[in-house]
Amino acid sequence: LREIALTIQNGLRAQDVAGRMGGEEFLVLLPHSTADEALVIAERLRQLINDVNCLQRCNLKTTLSVSVGAVQFDPVRHAGGDELIHDADQALYRAKERGRNRVELALQSASLDTVALA
């Protein structure tokens, strides 16, 4: 988990914020980002995590993979924050259902400039 957290932090821009939600889940906020930009960042993070050499750096004999759910912030729908996380989680579960180690965007139409990744 430490290696993944470090990889995420090193793969983000200065304005982005990452934190651990619990277990093996992380949340990343990408302010001033479009959904398209978020998908590029999420895919870059997915690939960076996939490229971590676990045998040497994590003392594991496996490769790491990550499934990512992304959602664009809507101030009406996500006013309390819980719905933002819920929508990101739903996209995350869809990524897992569709084969894991992939990025999925929540199905909604919003044109605002903050995106969350779960």
Side-chain angles (χ1 to χ4, degrees):
L1 288 174
R2 288 185 190 133
E3 192 66 36
I4 291 171
L6 182 61
T7 301
I8 290 170
Q9 195 61 49
N10 289 338
L12 295 177
R13 305 165 302 178
Q15 72 265 27
D16 301 333
V17 178
R20 185 169 167 213
M21 291 290 293
E24 53 191 37
E25 289 191 0
F26 293 87
L27 178 70
V28 177
L29 297 176
L30 308 172
H32 310 296
S33 301
T34 66
D36 289 338
E37 291 168 331
L39 290 175
V40 169
I41 293 167
E43 180 57 31
R44 182 179 69 232
L45 291 174
R46 189 200 64 75
Q47 189 60 53
L48 287 169
I49 290 167
N50 200 70
D51 290 346
V52 170
N53 184 333
C54 288
L55 187 58
Q56 293 179 354
R57 293 170 63 185
C58 306
N59 211 14
L60 299 173
K61 296 178 182 177
T62 186
T63 58
L64 297 177
S65 67
V66 63
S67 299
V68 179
V71 61
Q72 189 137 14
F73 177 74
D74 178 326
V76 174
R77 177 166 171 72
H78 303 128
D82 290 340
E83 285 297 321
L84 180 71
I85 294 170
H86 175 267
D87 289 350
D89 272 342
Q90 291 303 306
L92 168 64
Y93 295 132
R94 194 169 51 257
K96 289 180 178 183
E97 288 171 0
R98 293 182 176 174
R100 300 182 178 271
N101 199 27
R102 57 183 291 129
V103 176
E104 288 286 333
L105 181 63
L107 303 174
Q108 68 180 49
S109 59
S111 58
L112 300 163
D113 68 348
T114 299
V115 178
L117 306 176

